[in-house]
Amino acid sequence: MLNKTDQIEASALKIGVIVNFLMAVAGWVAYSLTGSEALLLDGNFSFISSVTTIGAILIIYKKHKRTTVFPYGRYFYESFFTFSKGILILGLIIAALFQNIIKILAFMEGEKIEKLQTGPILIYMILMIFLCFGLAFLYQHKNKKIHFKSSILAVEAKASKIDGYMTIAVGIALVSTTFVSETSKLSFLLYIGDAIIVILMALILLKMPFQVIKDGFIELGGGSLQNQEAVKEIEAVIKRLLPSSLQVINCHISKTGSSHLVLIYASSMTPTIAMDTITQYRSSIHEKLDAKYPNSEIEIVFR
């Protein structure tokens, strides 16, 4: 049985599967009508997003299961998904970059390239912008409802935005060619206009997947939580509930998917300390954090 957070996350992703598949079909149809390789890439990107989103939904149903091998659950699946999706997005951007650079070089060397056909590109562009940014808004809105705990929704929102920006770039290029004549000095845009725009957009968007990969890598490696606002909030709870007989030396807060691990390194202010005091302190922190960080593990380590 999924909790409320998981239900919100899963409902958003199920919509994402359908929308991404529709965008994939639209991209393939637009490619057949215009001959633009960029639109084919756009369609393939959406199809891959649709398939990987199904994987993300399966992760939601599996991540809470605890075993002897994974006593804290399988939340690393979420981090691995984020990391893998970042690499996938980076790969697609680099593929778009090289594919279109090769197209431009081939054109400059005199290779015959088919003239771009605008076809129903304006309708396609409007539809894709609505779907891409609408889906990104949906992911962000749903993630906000669960206090931005879903790394999966965060990376899917970024992927949808990249898809939307690439569509805008190609759309502008193709629509612009309608104003260029064969005798114009800009006649090369009739053949490689989409390639030039895609290269520019790819260079602009290149930073985004690196950030996604970095965040996923840090989570998989058990690194410190990067969200400083959440760190300050959790540390404030630790200090506010601290018994007078305990002293906090340091604390380490890490995030793996939608799970948080809070390690509190403490020492006793008295020669002895009751076990009930430690247990109550740990339970109080867990209870306070549970509303916003439901999959948290609190551990107190004495030094």
Side-chain angles (χ1 to χ4, degrees):
M1 186 69 179
L2 297 180
N3 58 39
K4 186 177 179 181
T5 297
D6 294 335
Q7 289 174 358
I8 291 172
E9 192 176 20
S11 65
L13 292 173
K14 286 175 182 177
I15 294 171
V17 171
I18 298 171
V19 173
N20 274 306
F21 183 74
L22 291 175
M23 290 193 293
V25 173
W28 295 333
V29 171
Y31 164 69
S32 67
L33 295 175
T34 63
S36 172
E37 294 288 338
L39 295 184
L40 175 61
L41 181 70
D42 198 29
N44 291 340
F45 182 86
S46 296
F47 179 71
I48 292 172
S49 293
S50 181
V51 173
T52 55
T53 302
I54 294 174
I57 294 171
L58 294 176
I59 287 173
I60 293 174
Y61 286 90
K62 298 286 185 181
K63 65 183 181 181
H64 297 299
K65 188 174 181 180
R66 297 170 184 257
T67 64
T68 53
V69 179
F70 304 112
Y72 292 115
R74 303 177 181 182
Y75 300 103
F76 74 93
Y77 285 172
E78 296 174 290
S79 301
F80 182 73
F81 176 86
T82 301
F83 180 74
S84 302
K85 192 63 180 278
I87 292 176
L88 177 62
I89 294 172
L90 178 62
L92 286 168
I93 290 177
I94 291 175
L97 192 61
F98 279 98
Q99 181 184 27
N100 287 281
I101 287 175
I102 290 171
K103 182 178 180 179
I104 292 173
L105 291 175
F107 177 79
M108 292 173 66
E109 290 176 358
E111 185 176 322
K112 186 178 180 181
I113 294 177
E114 291 294 323
K115 182 180 175 182
L116 296 171
Q117 303 297 320
T118 55
I121 188 61
L122 190 58
I123 297 173
Y124 170 80
M125 186 171 68
I126 294 172
L127 174 64
M128 291 296 286
I129 290 172
F130 174 77
L131 291 176
C132 289
F133 290 102
L135 189 58
F137 174 80
L138 172 69
Y139 287 145
Q140 288 179 322
H141 175 69
K142 293 289 187 180
N143 209 4
K144 185 178 180 180
K145 291 180 70 174
I146 56 177
H147 308 291
F148 297 101
K149 291 195 293 290
S150 174
S151 55
I152 290 178
L153 290 183
V155 72
E156 289 295 331
K158 289 179 180 178
S160 295
K161 286 181 180 178
I162 286 177
D163 199 5
Y165 289 133
M166 295 294 273
T167 301
I168 290 173
V170 176
I172 290 173
L174 293 178
V175 171
S176 298
T177 59
T178 59
F179 303 100
V180 178
S181 66
E182 286 281 3
T183 57
S184 170
K185 292 182 179 179
L186 299 175
S187 60
F188 63 90
L189 293 176
L190 296 171
Y191 303 91
I192 58 171
D194 64 331
I196 294 172
I197 295 294
V198 169
I199 288 171
L200 292 174
M201 288 302 298
L203 293 173
I204 293 170
L205 298 171
L206 201 55
K207 181 182 177 182
M208 191 181 290
F210 279 111
Q211 185 61 50
V212 172
I213 293 169
K214 177 188 173 185
D215 292 342
F217 184 78
I218 290 173
E219 288 192 14
L220 286 171
S224 298
L225 178 61
Q226 298 298 292
N227 186 336
Q228 292 306 307
E229 185 178 336
V231 170
K232 290 178 182 177
E233 185 178 2
I234 294 171
E235 287 180 343
V237 171
I238 292 171
K239 292 176 182 177
R240 186 167 66 249
L241 299 175
L242 182 68
S244 58
S245 56
L246 281 178
Q247 178 184 14
V248 173
I249 301 172
N250 195 9
C251 61
H252 171 73
I253 306 168
S254 63
K255 175 180 176 291
T256 305
S258 56
S259 172
H260 290 76
L261 175 63
V262 181
L263 294 176
I264 303 170
Y265 297 96
S267 63
S268 176
M269 300 289 286
T270 58
T272 60
I273 184 170
M275 190 64 188
D276 287 346
T277 301
I278 300 170
T279 304
Q280 182 59 43
Y281 178 46
R282 183 178 179 276
S283 298
S284 298
I285 295 173
H286 202 285
E287 184 180 341
K288 195 68 177 177
L289 295 179
D290 194 55
K292 194 168 182 180
Y293 308 101
N295 304 317
S296 298
E297 292 290 340
I298 316 297
E299 301 292 345
I300 300 175
V301 181
F302 279 89
R303 286 184 170 177

